[in-house]
Amino acid sequence: MAHEIHAEMVANVLNVVAREGDALVEGDTVVILESMKMEIPVLTEENGTLTRLAVKEGDVVQEHDLIAVVE
Protein backbone atom coordinates (compact mmCIF):
# COMPACT_ATOMS: atom_id res chain seq x y z
CA MET A 1 0.00 0.00 0.00
CA ALA A 2 1.32 3.45 -0.91
CA HIS A 3 2.13 5.99 1.78
CA GLU A 4 1.86 9.61 0.64
CA ILE A 5 3.94 12.31 2.31
CA HIS A 6 2.36 15.77 2.31
CA ALA A 7 3.61 19.20 3.35
CA GLU A 8 2.39 20.34 6.74
CA MET A 9 3.00 24.03 6.05
CA VAL A 10 3.92 26.55 3.39
CA ALA A 11 7.68 26.21 2.88
CA ASN A 12 10.56 26.18 0.43
CA VAL A 13 12.17 22.88 -0.54
CA LEU A 14 15.68 23.51 0.71
CA ASN A 15 17.25 20.10 0.06
CA VAL A 16 16.10 16.82 -1.52
CA VAL A 17 17.79 14.05 0.45
CA ALA A 18 16.22 10.88 -1.00
CA ARG A 19 15.91 9.95 -4.66
CA GLU A 20 13.32 7.90 -6.53
CA GLY A 21 14.16 4.22 -6.17
CA ASP A 22 15.81 4.63 -2.75
CA ALA A 23 14.91 2.07 -0.08
CA LEU A 24 13.70 3.98 2.98
CA VAL A 25 13.28 2.96 6.60
CA GLU A 26 10.77 4.60 8.92
CA GLY A 27 12.30 7.87 10.15
CA ASP A 28 14.53 8.49 7.11
CA THR A 29 14.62 12.07 5.83
CA VAL A 30 13.08 12.55 2.38
CA VAL A 31 13.45 16.33 2.01
CA ILE A 32 14.33 19.32 4.15
CA LEU A 33 11.94 22.25 4.06
CA GLU A 34 12.72 25.83 5.09
CA SER A 35 10.10 28.06 6.62
CA MET A 36 10.65 31.23 8.61
CA LYS A 37 14.42 30.55 8.62
CA MET A 38 13.90 27.14 10.25
CA GLU A 39 14.96 23.89 8.61
CA ILE A 40 12.31 21.17 8.92
CA PRO A 41 13.16 17.57 7.96
CA VAL A 42 10.30 15.65 6.36
CA LEU A 43 10.51 12.00 7.40
CA THR A 44 8.93 8.84 6.06
CA GLU A 45 6.61 7.08 8.46
CA GLU A 46 6.89 3.66 6.81
CA ASN A 47 9.48 1.33 5.33
CA GLY A 48 9.46 1.03 1.56
CA THR A 49 10.79 2.33 -1.73
CA LEU A 50 10.49 5.96 -2.79
CA THR A 51 8.45 5.56 -5.97
CA ARG A 52 7.57 9.19 -6.64
CA LEU A 53 9.24 12.44 -5.69
CA ALA A 54 6.86 15.32 -6.45
CA VAL A 55 9.17 18.23 -5.56
CA LYS A 56 12.62 19.52 -6.42
CA GLU A 57 14.99 21.88 -4.66
CA GLY A 58 13.77 25.47 -4.87
CA ASP A 59 10.08 24.55 -5.13
CA VAL A 60 7.56 26.21 -2.85
CA VAL A 61 5.02 23.84 -1.30
CA GLN A 62 1.68 24.76 0.14
CA GLU A 63 0.05 23.03 3.10
CA HIS A 64 -1.15 19.53 2.04
CA ASP A 65 0.87 19.48 -1.23
CA LEU A 66 2.23 16.07 -2.17
CA ILE A 67 5.95 15.70 -1.50
CA ALA A 68 6.56 12.00 -2.13
CA VAL A 69 5.08 8.50 -2.32
CA VAL A 70 6.63 5.50 -0.56
CA GLU A 71 5.44 2.00 -1.45
Side-chain angles (χ1 to χ4, degrees):
M1 184 170 169
H3 167 66
E4 293 184 345
I5 301 171
H6 294 270
E8 295 183 7
M9 66 192 73
V10 177
N12 296 311
V13 179
L14 183 64
N15 189 15
V16 175
V17 178
R19 303 287 183 235
E20 287 184 5
D22 284 356
L24 301 175
V25 177
E26 179 182 350
D28 282 351
T29 301
V30 178
V31 299
I32 298 175
L33 301 178
E34 184 272 326
S35 181
M36 297 171 47
K37 299 188 182 195
M38 292 180 56
E39 293 183 11
I40 303 110
V42 177
L43 312 176
T44 183
E45 295 178 0
E46 297 190 14
N47 299 339
T49 301
L50 181 60
T51 57
R52 179 172 177 216
L53 188 60
V55 298
K56 62 184 182 309
E57 290 180 13
D59 283 352
V60 176
V61 293
Q62 303 296 317
E63 188 174 4
H64 306 298
D65 281 358
L66 180 66
I67 292 176
V69 177
V70 177
E71 293 187 46

